[in-house]
Structure formats: structure tokens, C-alpha cells
Amino acid sequence: MSRRCLIGVPMGDPAGIGPEIVVKSIAAPETYEYGCVVVTGDKKVLADACRFSKINLHINEIKDLSQIQDKPNVLNLIQCGELDYNTFKIGQIEGQCGQAAFRYIKEITTLAMQGKLDAIATTPINKESLKAGKVNYIGHTEILADLTNSQDPLTMFQVRDLRVFFLTRHLALVKAIESLTPERVCDYAIRCNDALVKLGIKNPKMTVAGINPHCGEHGLFGHEDDDVLLPGIEMAKQKGINISGPKPADSVFYFAMGGNYDAVLSPYHDQGHIATKMVDFHRTISITNGMPILRTSVDHGTANDIAGKGIANPVSLIEAIRLAALYAPNFKH
């Protein structure tokens, strides 16, 4: 009998809502159906989250994965990233929280890289806490790229059947558009196609969202669609990629969710973020492709303003765990 899917979850910034959504997710019956979850984090912080969330879990602290108790309402924990409880305060930006969050990610990534986990599903970290703790990364993607020795990982959002890749990430809009070249569009088309195949989607059909209104109307509203996106798309087609476009961004995401395409390549950050989050904010999940491990993630922040109040919504993490379990059997290490 094969073992159940094993998913690693780093606790996230201890002062944010990460610990709360972790305990709520593990307490949710559907999470247990998806697979067995192993958490890296802090036992005291997680126990406090159980208390103020009125969640009844048994925290099973383990040193090795052989000690896992694969049962409902059991939180299997690898304790790491020690905190000074004399200064720790929930909801507060603090360097030690950034350092601890980084340690949780590092521990879980090591296990995944060793092939001991099938996937990881990450919780929110705080950029200010990372900076205060002198952890020199701006976010998860950069941390994971370094820990897995991966070059320029691909970010994909999924909500329902809509999948969106991003040709650029955290750049000012003007710089994002300036950074695009036909060669970059072609390269991303190939890499996105490979990522979809790796996730188990056979013969992916992709398209590219336009940059300008109505894709520029042949230069009336801008030239980037004709001069940058279209040549890149044609180059990708010549390499055997099933891709079309550019398609007007005001309709392409709707048609993709209806099944016309397996994925849309979005030229800039907010275009694809708005399209997915308007479908279902809490169930929009980030999947990082182009790494030797499978990683899904919630797409919200640490919400320090509501941390400790027991009102955080765990749906995003539950959905991230679901997608990790869904894609894990297809994902080849």
C-alpha cells in the first residue's frame, strides 16, 4: 500500500495570521482527506493559536518523519526557529520573526529537496520582518529559488480552472513593459508549456493577454502588442508551442476560465492578479514552477492587524494544500 501524499507547511511569520490558518486548516476535515501535513514552526505559538481560535488539536512534536501520526486533528510539528518569548508579541514587526519564518521555510525545503515530502504549501511571511531580521530576500519566490538553486522560477496563479502565468513580477508598470522583448515572451511560453506538462496537463493550449486596450488596435493605442508580444508568440509557435494571441485582456481571462485555454500569460503583475482574485479572492492560489520541488502558496499577507483575534480565514491555505495534493502525483522530482 502506497503512503498518503505528504505535504510540508512552514508556519509563516509567527506574529501574523500564519499560525492561526495552519491550525484551522489542519482541523478542517477536508484537509485530512487531501493528505498528511507536516508543519515546521513553534509549538507555543501554535498552541496559543489553537486557544484563541477555539481549535482542539493534538500537537505531535517530531524529530523525524517516521514519528508522524497520520490521524485527524493531529498537528505533526518539527520545532525550529526558536523565539525569545520575552519580546515576542503577536501582530508586531520584529526581526526574530523574520528569522524564524526563514528557518521554517529552510527546514521544510530541505525535506522536500531530499524527496521526503511530495510538495510544500507556504503561508504568509512579512517583508518588513525579514528586513528587520537581516534576511536578505524580498519574498518566498526569491528564498526558494536560492534554496533550490533555481533560476527565475515561474509564478502561476490558479483559481478554479483559470491558470495565469506572469511575464513580469514586482516591477513598476513602466519598467515591466520596457523589460519585455520578443525573446522573453518566447522563452516564457516554452517554460510555461513545460510547467503545465509537468503538472499533468497534456498538450497545453495557451494564449497571451494584450498590454494595451484592444491589443493596441494596430498601433492606434500603443505598439507593444504588435512589436513585442506578437513576434514572441510567433517565435514560440515555430518551436512547437500551442500558443495564440495577443488577446484583449478585458475578455481573455473569462474565456480561459471557460475552457478555451489551459493558461494565460499576463504581461504584468496586477493584470493577472486582478483577473484571478475577482473570481475568488480566498481561493486564488500561487504555484511556483521551474523548481525541483512543487510549491503552492496562499496569496495573501500576514494581516498583522487581525493576528491573534481568531478571525483569519483559512480557506486559502486549505485550497493550497488541496492543489499541492492534486498536482503532486504528476510532478516529477
Side-chain angles (χ1 to χ4, degrees), residues 273-300:
H273 278 241
I274 293 167
T276 51
K277 291 177 183 178
M278 281 299 292
V279 174
D280 190 329
F281 180 85
H282 291 294
R283 288 183 172 84
T284 295
I285 301 304
S286 175
I287 301 173
T288 307
N289 297 278
M291 300 193 303
I293 62 173
L294 173 60
R295 177 251 180 165
T296 65
S297 181
V298 302
D299 189 54
H300 59 71

Side-chain angles (χ1 to χ4, degrees), residues 231-254:
I233 291 165
E234 292 302 319
M235 290 167 61
K237 283 182 178 178
Q238 290 172 12
K239 294 180 181 294
I241 304 301
N242 185 1
I243 189 167
S244 62
K247 302 287 187 183
D250 61 358
S251 58
V252 69
F253 298 101
Y254 170 80

